[in-house]
């Protein structure tokens, strides 16, 4: 499910991660096992790690998903 969501919503996720907020990030975080409270904080954490998630202009959705998962699961959000 996370792979499909990342691919189908890639552009919106990239834009919202740059802004640090958005409904797609919240849904993405929930798919990745975050609670409602943690999902609402995920945007700021992903924004702080934007260059890690999008290490180049040509990051494919599957690599964005892997990097996002590393950031989210490595954070204090408690997602699993």
């Amino acid at each position: 499910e996370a792979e499909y969501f990342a691919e189908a919503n890639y552009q919106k996720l990239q834009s919202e991660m740059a802004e640090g907020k958005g409904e797609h990030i919240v849904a993405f975080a929930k798919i990745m096992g975050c609670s409602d409270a943690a999902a609402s904080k995920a945007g700021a954490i992903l924004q702080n790690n934007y260059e890690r998630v999008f290490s180049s202009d040509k990051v494919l959705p599957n690599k964005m998903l892997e990097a996002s998962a590393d950031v989210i699961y490595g954070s204090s959000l408690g997602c699993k």
Side-chain angles (χ1 to χ4, degrees):
E1 187 176 7
E3 288 179 33
Y4 174 78
F5 189 89
E7 190 167 328
N9 297 285
Y10 180 81
Q11 296 296 326
K12 292 197 184 285
L13 285 167
Q14 184 176 24
S15 175
E16 290 181 9
M17 285 183 199
E19 293 178 28
K21 61 184 178 194
E23 64 186 59
H24 291 86
I25 287 178
V26 171
F28 186 55
K30 287 181 183 180
I31 289 169
M32 296 177 72
C34 295
S35 67
D36 289 348
S40 68
K41 297 175 185 173
I45 289 172
L46 289 165
Q47 181 184 37
N48 288 339
N49 289 276
Y50 183 86
E51 290 183 10
R52 182 174 165 194
V53 175
F54 294 98
S55 55
S56 75
D57 291 338
K58 297 180 183 178
V59 172
L60 297 174
N62 65 321
K63 295 298 181 186
M64 182 270 295
L65 174 60
E66 288 176 18
S68 296
D70 287 346
V71 168
I72 287 173
Y73 297 139
S75 73
S76 61
L77 291 175
C79 305
K80 33 184 160 172

